[in-house]
Amino acid sequence: MNSGSKLLIVLLGAFVFAQGCRHEVDPPPGPRGTPLTVPIPSNFPAMPIPPNNPFTVEGVALGRFLFYDERLSGNNTQACASCHAPQLAFTDNGTRFSTGIDGLEGSRNAMALVNLAWDTRYFWDGRRATLEEQILDPVMNPIEMHETWPNAVAKLQADPAYPPLFEGAFGTTTIDSVLVARAIAQFIRTMISGNSNFDKVQRGEPYLPTIDEQLGIALTQQEGGNPALGLGGQWGADCFHCHPHGGGRMTDGLLHNNGLDSEFTDLGAGGVTGLPQDIGRFKTPTLRNVALTAPYMHDGRFQTLEEVIDHYNSGGHPSSTVDPFMKYTQGGLQLTPEKKQQLLAFLHMLTDMDFVNNPAFQDPGTP
Ligand code: HEC
Ligand code: HEC
């Protein structure tokens, strides 16, 4: 046999093997049900949707039941919604750290679930790349829901209401963790916040912003620092590099060190990658609905938005990984009290009551 045909056989073998593997990871049950088009606000880009998990009416409805189902936890007391409540833009009850089913406290603040369909990194340290992967974690997390997936799935399988719902959404009555995650991911992708007063201004809809709001919008988009230095400074608040207004998300979704510390107890992305340059880097959260999601930062260290503004105004703490966009760790932004007030007015403008009160997001009861 010549080397060409040997190569062909090896390649063919690898192809057949890969198909076999894919078959196990990605089971034959696929999307079924009624295709659903989720409306996207006109100031947002198109939503990326994974080809193997398109929206269906049945999938989103099933995901909503599961999001509120306490049987996903070890002692049947905690649902996803226990730490991610719609009234608080899907965060928890204002505590620094969430408490799991065994009364144990985690070390991170519950994240808001807002406009996550557009992100490519999940968790504060960005350790998961898709919602479908991310959702598998909290169930197994010993200080969150502390349940095994086989147990959780067995509880759902034993409830006569669930198998037909899985059949409707995915074409099988056999429940597994992959399908549970797909259904919840569909529901989370529908959690779109795009009707704050800021959005109305962006879209040119009838809402007259106050003077403070107008100046606050401008401030976040102006470079910080002294114009006299000739480095393009505008005495602005310099928020837009990491929390850009364009695309509607109010986050770049990337990992940055925003100068909270000079020494790190939580290594952030560095704890995941093991790389020194990632130490202290965390996912930029959205600014949407921040007025509802106190306390702030990965460890909930700031109780109020005033404290957050003071942090940025101080310029933050220098370190070897502090972000290049935190340019004023020496000297600070030097915002006047009036400018701080304008910044606050801007942050409050991002509250979207249509989002938190949306009937489609509330507890649907038992299936
Ligand atoms: C005990 C409280 C608690 C429970 C229960 C819980 N979460 Fe979370 N959630 C958190 C915390 C804390 C974080 C941040 C964790 C981290 O970064 O390590 C988080 C992060 C997330 C994120 C990442 C958001 C982002 O912007 O990257 C998603 C999505 C999420 N949770 C969905 C869920 C789902 C779905 C469930 C149910 C299967 C669930 N959570 C159950 C507390 C909880
Ligand atoms: C260098 C990028 C960067 C810049 C510039 C920046 N931020 Fe942030 N912001 C982040 C990151 C990263 C976090 C999360 C950090 C953490 O928890 O460790 C964050 C967190 C926040 C939070 C907390 C949100 C929450 O859910 O806990 C608020 C509010 C905020 N930023 C507002 C602002 C404002 C206002 C400005 C401008 C004055 C600004 N940011 C400038 C990257 C940045």
Side-chain angles (χ1 to χ4, degrees), residues 21-31 170 172 176 178-179 182:
C21 290
R22 181 165 326 147
H23 206 72
E24 273 169 27
V25 179
D26 199 356
F170 300 112
T172 175
D176 68 20
V178 172
L179 298 180
R182 284 188 187 173

Side-chain angles (χ1 to χ4, degrees), residues 210-217 219 235 237 309-310 313 334-346:
T210 65
I211 303 288
D212 272 0
E213 286 172 344
Q214 291 178 43
L215 293 170
I217 295 174
L219 254 186
W235 288 133
I309 291 173
D310 282 338
N313 192 40
Q334 301 184 33
L335 300 173
T336 59
E338 292 73 30
K339 285 188 177 178
K340 288 190 192 176
Q341 201 50 47
Q342 294 157 6
L343 215 45
L344 194 63
F346 164 75

Side-chain angles (χ1 to χ4, degrees), residues 154-213:
K155 285 185 261 178
L156 302 177
Q157 193 78 58
D159 178 339
Y162 269 117
L165 294 178
F166 277 86
E167 168 96 67
F170 300 112
T172 175
T173 53
T174 308
I175 301 173
D176 68 20
S177 60
V178 172
L179 298 180
V180 172
R182 284 188 187 173
I184 297 178
Q186 285 189 39
F187 178 53
I188 291 181
R189 285 194 182 95
T190 66
M191 297 175 186
I192 301 168
S193 175
N195 212 21
S196 65
N197 286 339
F198 174 75
D199 293 288
K200 292 174 190 155
V201 171
Q202 247 193 356
R203 291 193 292 256
E205 288 166 11
Y207 170 77
L208 193 62
T210 65
I211 303 288
D212 272 0
E213 286 172 344

Side-chain angles (χ1 to χ4, degrees), residues 237-239 242-243 256 258 260 282 285 287 296-298 312 323:
D238 225 336
C239 313
C242 306
H243 302 278
H256 298 278
N258 67 340
L260 292 177
F282 291 87
L287 297 183
Y296 303 105
M297 307 296 168
H298 68 271
Y312 284 109
D323 200 88

Side-chain angles (χ1 to χ4, degrees), residues 12-353:
L12 262 177
F15 179 74
V16 170
F17 180 73
Q19 292 302 306
C21 290
R22 181 165 326 147
H23 206 72
E24 273 169 27
V25 179
D26 199 356
R32 299 288 195 284
T34 322
L36 174 70
T37 307
V38 174
I40 312 292
S42 63
N43 50 330
F44 283 44
M47 181 190 287
I49 300 170
N52 67 359
N53 196 22
F55 284 121
T56 60
V57 174
E58 293 80 357
V60 171
L62 172 58
R64 181 175 166 194
F65 280 125
L66 293 166
F67 189 83
Y68 282 93
D69 199 320
E70 292 166 342
R71 283 171 292 179
L72 290 185
S73 69
N75 62 3
N76 305 324
T77 60
Q78 201 168 52
C80 307
S82 309
C83 298
H84 300 286
Q87 290 311 312
L88 300 168
F90 295 102
T91 55
D92 66 4
N93 58 359
T95 46
R96 251 186 109 172
F97 304 123
S98 312
T99 306
I101 65 158
D102 306 319
L104 296 175
E105 249 187 16
S107 58
R108 290 183 179 161
N109 190 238
M111 301 177 85
L113 309 184
V114 176
N115 300 341
L116 290 183
W118 286 270
D119 284 0
T120 52
R121 289 172 180 76
Y122 298 95
F123 290 121
W124 283 111
D125 52 18
R127 67 184 179 276
R128 293 283 176 248
T130 67
L131 275 175
E132 280 79 356
E133 285 175 52
Q134 182 283 329
I135 289 160
L136 298 176
D137 290 7
V139 170
M140 298 183 292
N141 187 321
I143 41 182
E144 291 184 4
M145 301 169 93
H146 202 181
E147 181 57 296
T148 67
W149 271 107
N151 275 348
V153 163
K155 285 185 261 178
L156 302 177
Q157 193 78 58
D159 178 339
Y162 269 117
L165 294 178
F166 277 86
E167 168 96 67
F170 300 112
T172 175
T173 53
T174 308
I175 301 173
D176 68 20
S177 60
V178 172
L179 298 180
V180 172
R182 284 188 187 173
I184 297 178
Q186 285 189 39
F187 178 53
I188 291 181
R189 285 194 182 95
T190 66
M191 297 175 186
I192 301 168
S193 175
N195 212 21
S196 65
N197 286 339
F198 174 75
D199 293 288
K200 292 174 190 155
V201 171
Q202 247 193 356
R203 291 193 292 256
E205 288 166 11
Y207 170 77
L208 193 62
T210 65
I211 303 288
D212 272 0
E213 286 172 344
Q214 291 178 43
L215 293 170
I217 295 174
L219 254 186
T220 58
Q221 295 186 286
Q222 284 159 356
E223 298 280 349
N226 186 347
L229 298 177
L231 298 169
Q234 300 173 309
W235 288 133
D238 225 336
C239 313
F240 68 104
H241 296 288
C242 306
H243 302 278
H245 294 188
R249 290 158 60 217
M250 298 301 181
T251 169
D252 60 4
L254 303 177
L255 304 164
H256 298 278
N257 171 355
N258 67 340
L260 292 177
D261 298 296
S262 288
E263 283 171 29
F264 305 95
T265 41
D266 186 335
L267 301 184
V272 179
T273 64
L275 299 171
Q277 63 266 34
D278 285 339
I279 291 176
R281 293 173 72 207
F282 291 87
K283 176 177 170 179
T284 313
T286 182
L287 297 183
R288 287 185 170 278
N289 302 300
V290 270
L292 305 174
T293 66
Y296 303 105
M297 307 296 168
H298 68 271
D299 56 3
R301 66 178 64 192
F302 299 132
Q303 289 298 324
T304 63
L305 288 171
E306 283 86 346
E307 287 174 56
V308 172
I309 291 173
D310 282 338
H311 159 72
Y312 284 109
N313 192 40
S314 77
H317 300 278
S319 66
S320 62
T321 59
V322 72
D323 200 88
F325 288 128
M326 294 297 296
K327 296 185 281 263
Y328 303 100
T329 51
Q330 305 291 328
L333 291 168
Q334 301 184 33
L335 300 173
T336 59
E338 292 73 30
K339 285 188 177 178
K340 288 190 192 176
Q341 201 50 47
Q342 294 157 6
L343 215 45
L344 194 63
F346 164 75
L347 292 172
H348 277 273
M349 218 186 159
L350 295 167
T351 304
D352 177 357
M353 293 314 285

